[in-house]
Amino acid sequence: MADPSSYRPKPGQIPDSPGVYKFRDEHRRVIYVGKAKSLRQRLANYFQDLSGLHPRTRTMVTTAASVEWTVVSTEVEALQLEYSWIKEFDPRFNVKYRDDKSYPYLAVTLNEEFPRVQVMRGAKKKGVRYFGPYGHAWAIRETVDLMLRVFPVRTCSAGVFKNAARTGRPCLLGYIGKCSAPCVGRVTPEEHRELADDFCDFMAGRTGTYIRRLEKDMMAAAEEMEYERAARLRDDVEALKRAMEKSAVVLADATDADLIAVAEDELEAAVQIFHVRGGRVRGQRGWVTDKVENVDTSGLVEHALQQLYGEETGDSVPKEVLVPALPEDPEAVSQWLADRRGSQVSLRIPQRGDKKDLMTTVQRNAQQALGLHKTKRASDLTTRSRALEEIAEALGLDTAPLRIECFDISHLQGDDVVASMVVFEDGLARKGEYRRFQIKGFEGQDDVRSMHEVISRRFRRYLQEKERTGEWEEGPAATGAVPAEGTAPAGGTGTVAADGTVPAGGTVAADGTAIVPAEAVAGAPPAVPAQPAEPAEPAEPREDDGRPKRFAYPPQLLVVDGGQPQVAAAKRALDELGIDDIAVCGLAKRLEEVWLPDDDDPVVLPRSSEGLYLLQRVRDEAHRFAITYQRAKRAKRIRSSPLDAVAGLGETRKQALIKHFGSVKKLRQATIDEICAVPGIGRRTAESVAVALAAAAPATPAVNTATGEIIEEDDGGSTT
């Protein structure tokens, strides 16, 4: 590991002008390329205290052994030189986009005497006109098959073409009218090239001219009673219209634009591009990249623009490029794009209308691409095994942590404080093992104290279960009884635990019963649990699968969402319970650092580490699960009414009371006899309603301090 101060340029050596710089390692390999408006200011950022640098930047400067730079005249030249050097040196610390597949293009080989229409993949060739990219090659072939009726351009290979010219007989397409057969001289090279140019013009979006011309010829043929020719032209028009229908109309007819969207997390980013020509989506492509350098959305957009247009010229660069965030120097990038196109290029963020709506669609595709990439990566057994081994090695564990539990705290400004516990076994989520906790030991915002409480409660239950059974034996669920810990079988009921835990996906009835829908154990918990009106029926007895109950399994690794304070709280909770065989660590979100108990410095896993990727997934899942529960509790609290305190009063009778009296205020003013007049309300229930509303009545009327107006209660228990 090199000391950056050993190769830091002397003061005054670095010019204060635009330029491009390169970091090299001890073997003189270029490991990073960057550009700057001011080389002096930018390079000074790399030679500050290492503790103030982003972990990725810190790794880069300690890997490097020297830095050099090249001064240029303008920011546009710097952008071009940066792209050229990245392509030439392929630096390991630069963001490099990679296609998640090799996209096919519809290509027209205008560099040949007789241009050919074909499907092409890979690097683009000079003199070839490209359209796309397309998602599937069959989509190109279907489009070409329809268009060959009108534009019978050559599609055969060089070998077939030469053989037909030698024998004097065209191929099958020549006989059925889908090729003009230049191989046997039916058309001249000039006539065939004109067909190819018309084909390219139609694919480029200039469709109206050809359709109107064919329709005009069709009408003329019909007037001259050439009905067979008119029918053929009619079929040609329909073929072109069907080819156009394969591209969705999204914008105005004259719109040529590329829309770029980015979906990212701390380690990876996905880019999606929609190519719109003539108002239609003509192609789509996407990339996924590791975020090797410390780069934000603007930087990712700039890299994507370089990747897209670095080797393009002319019409391949559209008139308009829509992005989610502007690059650091949008004027220089716009000028660079304009130079490559040969005319003005608009680079902007869509703010309203159809373009903003389409950008939302592109963004959704980027999110799905990133999720699919992560799913593929997580589902690979070899990758998961390597991730667990890397975690074990980094944390000094004796064995790979086959069971990992992660805890997170969630609240809204100190209200509705909850916690989540998620479980990963063999690197995969076990959603049936997830748990939710309500923080009840204190009120207010204190994440450290909340973490201590949750860890204590979870492992106190583990010790109780271990003491109760002595061995891993079948639990009470085998007989249909509610487990002592307050969990319930899928689709059944049970009481809320003494420590306030609620089974994942469950909710609480008015009598304190915990109700767990079956899907909560089999799959992901619902975002907002259903609110039962009455206690559910007891669950049918189910067979026990021989496994110990959820809290009976100890994890090999306990992960908390947070840094040193949260890790210390979790370790203290385990120490107080006498548990010393469970490893503890924390993952701090800001810099993705792994903290261990009693260590002053964090463990920084390599950016490409599968172990870090797994820890991040575990932490993010715990955060998602906690915030979902917290939002559900907040929504339930906001919807609460004084009638909720009446035992045995379900939603149907609540609605009947409100509908009969019009508002809670009028219901509070009603007598017991008037309440009894509501269908379904007996005298005992009416007395309970009256008592509950009297207890919930405000002592004094609320007053608007700005106007002096008395704020009266409205229907449903809300105020206006």
Side-chain angles (χ1 to χ4, degrees):
M1 179 180 294
D3 183 1
S5 62
S6 64
Y7 62 89
R8 179 175 185 171
K10 294 180 180 179
Q13 283 187 334
I14 308 176
D16 188 18
S17 58
V20 183
Y21 54 91
K22 293 179 289 189
F23 281 88
R24 294 181 182 268
D25 62 11
E26 58 183 356
H27 303 291
R28 298 295 298 164
R29 292 174 299 196
V30 177
I31 62 172
Y32 184 73
V33 173
K35 63 174 177 57
K37 290 183 180 180
S38 171
L39 287 169
R40 180 179 301 170
Q41 295 179 12
R42 177 59 61 84
L43 289 177
N45 294 331
Y46 292 101
F47 296 102
Q48 56 179 289
D49 185 12
L50 290 178
S51 62
L53 295 176
H54 191 280
R56 299 186 184 101
T57 306
R58 184 164 61 241
T59 303
M60 189 274 291
V61 297
T62 53
T63 304
S66 64
V67 61
E68 56 193 51
W69 57 85
T70 299
V71 177
V72 297
S73 302
T74 65
E75 291 85 354
V76 177
E77 290 183 24
L79 188 69
Q80 181 62 50
L81 183 58
E82 179 194 30
Y83 170 74
S84 300
W85 279 358
I86 290 176
K87 294 290 287 185
E88 178 182 356
F89 298 111
D90 193 23
R92 56 176 290 201
F93 285 100
N94 277 95
V95 167
K96 295 182 289 291
Y97 290 110
R98 58 183 185 273
D99 281 315
D100 51 8
K101 66 176 84 172
S102 178
Y103 287 94
Y105 286 82
L106 171 57
V108 183
T109 58
L110 297 176
N111 56 350
E112 298 181 0
E113 181 183 7
F114 297 100
R116 175 190 176 193
V117 175
Q118 61 179 324
V119 177
M120 276 193 177
R121 299 178 185 264
K124 294 185 177 180
K125 300 178 181 179
K126 188 176 181 179
V128 179
R129 185 79 181 272
Y130 291 89
F131 302 96
Y134 289 79
H136 303 280
W138 55 261
I140 300 178
R141 296 188 178 96
E142 285 186 357
T143 301
V144 170
D145 184 66
L146 291 170
M147 294 183 60
L148 288 180
R149 290 183 54 91
V150 186
F151 308 106
V153 187
R154 167 199 166 201
T155 58
C156 59
S157 65
V160 173
F161 186 88
K162 291 179 180 179
N163 184 63
R166 180 178 57 82
T167 61
R169 292 182 299 176
C171 63
L172 177 62
L173 293 179
Y175 283 110
I176 64 176
K178 287 192 174 183
C179 179
S180 56
C183 54
V184 294
R186 289 185 183 175
V187 295
T188 65
E190 293 75 16
E191 291 172 335
H192 185 268
R193 181 165 293 275
E194 185 178 352
L195 282 174
D197 290 339
D198 290 345
F199 181 94
C200 292
D201 288 344
F202 187 88
M203 289 300 300
R206 293 181 280 275
T207 57
T209 302
Y210 296 99
I211 292 180
R212 286 193 296 270
R213 187 178 69 186
L214 290 175
E215 290 177 341
K216 182 179 179 180
D217 292 344
M218 178 184 67
M219 298 301 297
E223 289 177 359
E224 295 174 4
M225 292 186 291
E226 296 180 6
Y227 298 120
E228 290 185 2
R229 180 168 174 265
R232 186 172 64 255
L233 291 171
R234 177 201 62 199
D235 294 342
D236 290 347
V237 171
E238 292 300 321
L240 290 183
K241 288 182 177 180
R242 287 201 302 275
M244 291 172 59
E245 289 171 358
K246 291 183 177 295
S247 301
V249 179
V250 291
L251 300 175
D253 289 343
T255 302
D256 290 346
D258 284 351
L259 290 89
I260 302 173
V262 178
E264 59 181 308
D265 58 20
E266 290 295 327
L267 296 178
E268 295 176 307
V271 176
Q272 281 287 308
I273 303 100
F274 276 24
H275 302 278
V276 179
R277 300 295 183 270
R280 297 173 178 270
V281 178
R282 298 290 183 179
Q284 175 186 358
R285 67 190 302 183
W287 298 309
V288 179
T289 181
D290 292 328
K291 294 174 69 174
V292 188
E293 56 181 299
N294 181 22
V295 60
D296 57 9
T297 304
S298 298
L300 291 170
V301 168
E302 182 172 317
H303 288 305
L305 293 173
Q306 289 179 319
Q307 177 80 6
L308 272 172
Y309 307 116
E311 299 179 358
E312 302 291 347
T313 57
D315 291 341
S316 297
V317 181
K319 300 176 183 178
E320 192 173 10
V321 180
L322 305 178
V323 294
L326 292 175
E328 181 180 348
D329 191 352
E331 293 80 10
V333 176
S334 297
Q335 184 59 48
W336 177 71
L337 292 173
D339 292 344
R340 305 205 66 79
R341 175 177 170 82
S343 61
Q344 188 65 33
V345 175
S346 173
L347 177 65
R348 63 186 184 87
I349 303 173
Q351 301 294 335
R352 63 183 67 86
D354 294 338
K355 293 178 181 178
K356 182 174 177 58
D357 294 340
L358 182 57
M359 177 62 81
T360 302
T361 301
V362 184
Q363 180 66 37
R364 187 160 55 246
N365 277 265
Q367 294 285 359
Q368 292 176 350
L370 183 61
L372 180 61
H373 170 74
K374 287 180 172 293
T375 301
K376 289 180 178 177
R377 186 173 176 181
S379 62
D380 182 65
L381 178 60
T382 303
T383 302
R384 298 202 314 268
S385 300
R386 184 166 67 251
L388 294 174
E389 291 173 359
E390 289 178 359
I391 292 174
E393 181 179 356
L395 304 185
L397 306 180
D398 295 333
T399 59
L402 299 182
R403 179 181 171 101
I404 301 174
E405 293 182 4
C406 184
F407 294 80
D408 185 30
I409 308 297
S410 181
H411 57 82
L412 181 64
Q413 298 180 346
D415 294 332
D416 301 316
V417 185
V418 299
S420 67
M421 181 187 97
V422 301
V423 179
F424 275 58
E425 290 185 355
D426 298 330
L428 295 176
R430 289 294 303 273
K431 294 188 176 181
E433 303 280 332
Y434 288 10
R435 299 288 289 183
R436 293 165 169 164
F437 297 82
Q438 302 177 37
I439 303 302
K440 65 175 189 175
F442 63 96
E443 295 183 357
Q445 176 180 348
D446 190 338
D447 288 357
V448 175
R449 188 176 175 186
S450 299
M451 187 64 71
H452 180 273
E453 176 183 332
V454 170
I455 300 297
S456 298
R457 284 160 52 182
R458 184 264 180 266
F459 287 98
R460 190 179 300 118
R461 302 285 291 285
Y462 158 63
L463 294 178
Q464 290 173 353
E465 182 67 17
K466 188 175 181 180
E467 180 181 0
R468 187 181 68 83
T469 61
E471 295 291 338
W472 303 131
E473 297 174 352
E474 62 181 16
T479 63
V482 178
E485 63 196 32
T487 60
T493 63
T495 59
V496 180
D499 60 4
T501 59
V502 181
T507 185
V508 183
D511 61 354
T513 302
I515 300 176
V516 188
E519 62 270 17
V521 175
V528 180
Q531 306 299 320
E534 303 292 344
E537 293 296 325
E540 292 294 328
R542 63 179 177 88
E543 284 189 29
D544 188 17
D545 57 6
R547 297 186 55 171
K549 310 227 301 303
R550 296 176 189 172
F551 278 145
Y553 267 132
Q556 284 81 47
L557 176 62
L558 188 154
V559 182
V560 299
D561 182 5
Q564 271 184 311
Q566 287 81 1
V567 174
K571 187 67 169 69
R572 188 171 65 254
L574 294 179
D575 292 342
E576 291 171 356
L577 295 173
I579 299 175
D580 58 2
D581 57 349
I582 297 177
V584 180
C585 74
L587 186 61
K589 188 173 184 62
R590 188 173 68 91
L591 297 178
E592 301 299 329
E593 299 168 329
V594 180
W595 290 91
L596 298 177
D598 304 324
D599 283 359
D600 295 331
D601 296 320
V603 176
V604 180
L605 294 175
R607 172 206 52 79
S608 58
S609 167
E610 293 294 340
L612 177 60
Y613 179 76
L614 176 57
L615 289 177
Q616 185 191 38
R617 286 180 48 235
V618 173
R619 188 270 317 280
D620 291 346
E621 179 68 357
H623 179 71
R624 179 201 66 79
F625 195 51
I627 201 170
T628 300
Y629 184 36
Q630 194 274 335
R631 287 172 178 169
K633 281 180 61 65
R634 185 171 76 249
K636 180 180 178 182
R637 175 169 55 82
I638 292 174
R639 295 194 302 266
S640 63
S641 163
L643 295 176
D644 294 339
V646 180
L649 187 65
E651 286 296 328
T652 301
R653 292 196 289 176
K654 286 181 190 176
Q655 295 299 326
L657 287 169
I658 297 299
K659 184 177 181 181
H660 181 85
F661 290 99
S663 68
V664 173
K665 177 184 177 182
K666 294 180 180 179
L667 175 59
R668 182 180 287 117
Q669 296 171 350
T671 64
I672 293 178
D673 291 336
E674 291 173 337
I675 296 175
C676 289
V678 178
I681 304 296
R683 188 166 190 83
R684 180 175 296 180
T685 302
E687 292 173 352
S688 299
V689 169
V691 171
L693 293 178
T700 57
V703 177
N704 187 324
T705 57
T707 63
E709 178 183 13
I710 296 178
I711 304 175
E712 296 187 351
E713 191 175 8
D714 199 355
D715 54 339
S718 62
T719 59
T720 58

